[in-house]
Amino acid sequence: MADVTNMDSEHAASLGRRYLIRFEEDTLRQRPLWIRLIIEFLGTFVLVTVAAGAGVINHYAGGNPISRAAAVIAPGAVVMAMIYAWGPLSGLHINPAVTFGFTARGVFPRAWVVPYWVVQLGGAICAALFLQLMFGDVAAGGNYPIAKPGGEWRSLVMETVLTAILVSIILNTATGSRSIGHNAAIAVGSTVALLGLFASPISGASMNPARSLGPDIVSTDYTGWWVYVAGPVIGATIAVLIIAAVRGLPRKEEREAAEGGDLPILGSPSGNGRQ
């Protein structure tokens, strides 16, 4: 009887190990570019709908029913959820500055940068069009420098600092060039929310050129648009320099992942995740 029980336990443990290995293989294996582009488009659409939607709906409903805290926490929460759901598929960059950061780090194929940027901006524009058709005045969901003396340069500095923090968190929690798992989901989602809580009155805490340019293009209001391109690019560059200084150059596995290979699968017989 004891032997049967031990055999059942060993069999269950073996099945569990095989399941975990297959799950890890499926999570880490590379997806073709067309799947990645679909996810990047949908992810950016969802993010901009939520992030810009708070301002648009407040303007439409009147009385500001959505508080500033809710308006900045919501994008962080939706980013967290999407990393859990879609991170393994595309890496869930949904931000041209993040794609730039991974590329500058050397862990993302340069040939994929422009397609990623195109679908990210396309998703942001479609989200802005959706909000415009539903509620009108999508400009109410845009990001603009604070209307104070020197507001543009202060907003530029703020966007630079915020993006440097965000991209640093992303690069240090990513697997290869993808945000995967609870470490990335909780860290990145909470960072988006926390940075917005204290900095949104200055620049809107965009940290994302697509999120800002989408509503700008649809509303044709380009007030301070350059702040939301230059700031995130400079911030992402700073983040890449910081990670290079403290962690060195990418490892061989990271470079192979950037060229379309897979990261090693822990516990797999071959020691790697190639299919």
Side-chain angles (χ1 to χ4, degrees):
M1 185 68 179
D3 291 341
V4 173
T5 302
N6 289 336
M7 289 178 62
D8 288 343
S9 299
E10 291 175 2
H11 180 65
S14 175
L15 289 176
R17 285 194 297 270
R18 276 184 283 174
Y19 171 80
L20 290 175
I21 290 171
R22 289 174 182 172
F23 177 80
E24 190 174 10
E25 288 176 343
D26 182 67
T27 297
L28 294 181
R29 71 183 177 88
Q30 295 287 350
R31 265 64 178 192
L33 180 59
W34 68 270
I35 290 179
R36 292 168 173 262
L37 296 182
I38 290 173
I39 296 302
E40 287 297 308
F41 176 88
L42 293 175
T44 311
F45 177 90
V46 172
L47 173 61
V48 176
T49 298
V50 172
V56 174
I57 291 172
N58 265 344
H59 184 271
Y60 174 78
N64 293 326
I66 302 173
S67 67
R68 185 176 72 85
V72 298
I73 290 174
V78 79
V79 166
M80 184 186 302
M82 289 193 295
I83 288 175
Y84 277 118
W86 292 342
L89 299 179
S90 76
L92 205 78
H93 297 186
I94 57 175
N95 182 340
V98 173
T99 301
F100 172 78
F102 279 124
T103 307
R105 174 69 177 155
V107 295
F108 188 74
R110 294 179 184 275
W112 290 0
V113 174
V114 172
Y116 261 56
W117 283 351
V118 168
V119 296
Q120 287 162 357
L121 184 58
I125 292 172
C126 287
L129 286 170
F130 168 74
L131 293 171
Q132 178 71 26
L133 291 172
M134 284 289 293
F135 308 109
D137 201 7
V138 73
N143 295 125
Y144 306 103
I146 187 170
K148 296 279 188 180
E152 285 199 346
W153 73 261
R154 285 185 172 87
S155 296
L156 173 64
V157 172
M158 188 61 72
E159 286 296 310
T160 298
V161 172
L162 298 181
T163 308
I165 295 171
L166 175 63
V167 176
S168 293
I169 298 296
I170 292 171
L171 290 176
N172 280 281
T173 57
T175 301
S177 62
R178 293 182 289 171
S179 295
I180 300 174
H182 62 273
N183 286 340
I186 295 173
V188 176
S190 61
T191 299
V192 171
L194 290 171
L195 295 179
L197 281 173
F198 88 90
S200 62
I202 303 301
S203 65
S206 171
M207 304 170 279
N208 186 335
R211 181 262 178 268
S212 294
L213 291 177
D216 285 355
I217 291 170
V218 174
S219 66
T220 66
D221 184 349
Y222 298 100
T223 303
W225 68 271
W226 63 274
V227 168
Y228 302 98
V229 175
V233 170
I234 298 170
T237 301
I238 293 171
V240 171
L241 294 175
I242 291 172
I243 192 174
V246 300
R247 294 184 61 182
L249 297 175
R251 295 175 299 174
K252 178 181 177 182
E253 292 85 355
E254 291 179 283
R255 294 194 299 271
E256 288 177 350
E259 296 304 320
D262 293 329
L263 291 174
I265 305 298
L266 299 177
S268 64
S270 63
N272 62 53
R274 298 185 187 280
Q275 302 294 310

